[in-house]
Amino acid sequence: MKDSSRFIKIVEVYSDIAGRRKGAGLGIDALMKSSQSLNSRYFKKYPAEVILDENSSFNEVSAYSNAKYIDKIYLVTKRLADRIKSLRDEKLFPIVLAGDHSSCAGTMHGLKMAHPNDEIGVVYIDAHADIHSPYTSPSGNIHGMPLSVVTNLDNKESQINQLDEEEIKYWEKLKDIAGEKPSIKPENIIFCALRDFERAEETLIHKHNIKKYNAKDITYLGVKTVVDEIFKKLDHCKYIYVSFDVDSIDPLYLPGTGTPSENGLSFEQAMQLNMQLIKNEKVCCWEIAEINPKYDDANRGTTAIFKILEQVTKMLIKNY
């Protein structure tokens, strides 16, 4: 009998230098702890590989104020992109367990490198739009920039920062990891649970007619209707990537994340949304990010997130 679980490859990205609060790099180990507490064999059944991080850089002040640690983040992003490409070349399904959400830029670049001639859709489950650039970011934290990295959108119309030559050099390198053309078209992005974004990001969302659902929309329409609409809008895409930032969940249920935002999803909505999405045969990669156990009392929230990871994986295998 064929072991369908062998097509899955777990990729762990402990990188934690692109966020506002340190601690997301501890999220993967917290998931493992939750797995053990539930007597799950998940991490034994699916051996993982680790992408080398640059977290020691946090001990130093970044030389780049508008794109903090971009020189180090470039290295991690490139490593991840290269690995995602090779896994897709082997026709494997990557499940990426990440620290801060900047990792998803590497994942999307890697998917484009593996499928250079195909349209790739992105379902971005996140409280935040993450489509700032160093020209527009009020914080300089790159976990708020991955969608600009892969869409190649500088948004200079909303510029508030002046970059020096080194920042520009690394920003261009970061955007061009998969080539000079954008890895993802902005119109192929759909936001779910989006509720916390700045005017510069809103400008891009309207300019490129990016579809977005907040938690109220998902509650009112129902998960199944939202998922049906998502796949209808992305019908022209050959491949679809799902990126799940746990801050999409309301902090009432999950305080354990670096950038909590009220009026989010319930655990059940997050579970059902991801499980319905993973059923679709076009979905080729799934990622989870921004678990921060430093803000999670007794690991309760992380245990619930692990259950989502486990159930989504089971659904993926069931529909393989």
Side-chain angles (χ1 to χ4, degrees):
M1 182 177 178
K2 183 179 180 182
D3 183 1
S4 58
S5 67
R6 290 189 177 183
F7 78 102
I8 293 172
K9 188 65 178 181
I10 307 293
V11 180
E12 296 174 352
V13 189
Y14 286 81
S15 185
D16 191 18
I17 56 175
R20 179 167 62 93
R21 292 176 171 177
K22 191 171 176 60
L26 304 172
I28 299 168
D29 289 341
L31 286 173
M32 293 179 182
K33 182 179 178 181
S34 294
S35 176
Q36 292 171 354
S37 71
L38 295 170
N39 296 316
S40 170
R41 298 187 69 256
Y42 187 91
F43 288 98
K44 292 181 179 178
K45 187 174 183 180
Y46 308 107
E49 58 183 71
V50 178
I51 302 298
L52 179 65
D53 65 62
E54 299 288 334
N55 288 346
S56 62
S57 301
F58 237 152
N59 298 325
E60 306 168 2
V61 175
S62 175
Y64 308 101
S65 59
N66 299 306
K68 296 173 184 175
Y69 304 104
I70 191 170
D71 52 339
K72 305 300 183 182
I73 290 167
Y74 168 78
L75 296 175
V76 178
T77 305
K78 181 69 165 62
R79 291 168 194 151
L80 178 57
D82 288 342
R83 190 61 188 127
I84 294 297
K85 178 190 183 302
S86 62
L87 291 174
R88 288 302 300 159
D89 287 346
E90 296 171 37
K91 302 192 185 314
L92 298 176
F93 189 105
I95 292 179
V96 182
L97 308 181
D100 70 64
H101 209 184
S102 69
S103 63
C104 69
T107 303
M108 288 182 276
H109 274 326
L111 292 174
K112 190 59 179 178
M113 289 157 63
H115 309 291
N117 301 316
D118 298 311
E119 295 269 345
I120 298 172
V122 174
V123 183
Y124 209 74
I125 308 171
D126 197 319
H128 309 92
D130 292 352
I131 200 164
H132 271 298
S133 78
Y135 297 98
T136 68
S137 173
S139 70
N141 296 324
I142 294 180
H143 74 160
M145 306 184 196
L147 287 178
S148 280
V149 171
V150 296
T151 56
N152 218 333
L153 293 174
D154 292 338
N155 193 15
K156 291 183 180 179
E157 297 88 345
S158 303
Q159 182 171 354
I160 60 172
N161 302 318
Q162 294 297 323
L163 277 60
D164 62 33
E165 290 185 8
E166 279 290 298
E167 283 180 312
I168 294 171
K169 181 187 77 172
Y170 274 110
W171 177 243
E172 294 302 320
K173 284 180 66 176
L174 193 60
K175 291 189 296 181
D176 292 348
I177 284 174
E180 293 183 2
K181 292 183 179 179
S183 290
I184 303 294
K185 295 179 180 178
E187 60 268 26
N188 288 347
I189 298 168
I190 296 179
F191 289 113
C192 288
L194 179 65
R195 57 196 183 275
D196 189 355
F197 47 92
E198 279 80 39
R199 181 169 295 179
E201 296 176 296
E202 187 176 19
T203 297
L204 290 179
I205 291 169
H206 286 300
K207 180 178 179 179
H208 296 280
N209 194 28
I210 301 174
K211 180 68 176 177
K212 63 183 188 298
Y213 298 92
N214 60 32
K216 287 183 179 180
D217 296 328
I218 293 169
T219 299
Y220 178 74
L221 295 170
V223 169
K224 186 179 185 306
T225 296
V226 169
V227 171
D228 287 346
E229 289 184 2
I230 287 172
F231 287 125
K232 184 176 181 180
K233 188 173 190 306
L234 298 179
D235 184 61
H236 62 288
C237 295
K238 186 172 182 179
Y239 299 104
I240 294 173
Y241 157 67
V242 178
S243 191
F244 172 42
D245 185 322
V246 301
D247 70 22
S248 59
I249 298 172
D250 195 282
L252 176 67
Y253 307 103
L254 183 76
T257 187
T259 49
S261 180
E262 294 181 353
N263 301 314
L265 301 173
S266 68
F267 271 122
E268 182 61 24
Q269 286 176 314
M271 172 80 82
Q272 291 304 318
L273 180 60
N274 281 288
M275 288 183 69
Q276 290 297 322
L277 288 165
I278 208 74
K279 287 181 180 181
N280 191 286
E281 62 184 8
K282 289 186 176 183
V283 175
C284 66
C285 180
W286 187 77
E287 184 160 354
I288 186 168
E290 295 283 0
I291 301 164
N292 196 326
K294 290 179 71 173
Y295 304 95
D296 183 14
D297 293 338
N299 213 40
R300 286 189 293 269
T302 305
T303 297
I305 293 297
F306 171 74
K307 291 178 181 178
I308 293 177
L309 169 64
E310 188 172 47
Q311 292 304 313
V312 166
T313 306
K314 287 180 180 179
M315 182 63 74
L316 175 62
I317 292 170
K318 180 179 178 182
N319 288 274
Y320 175 63

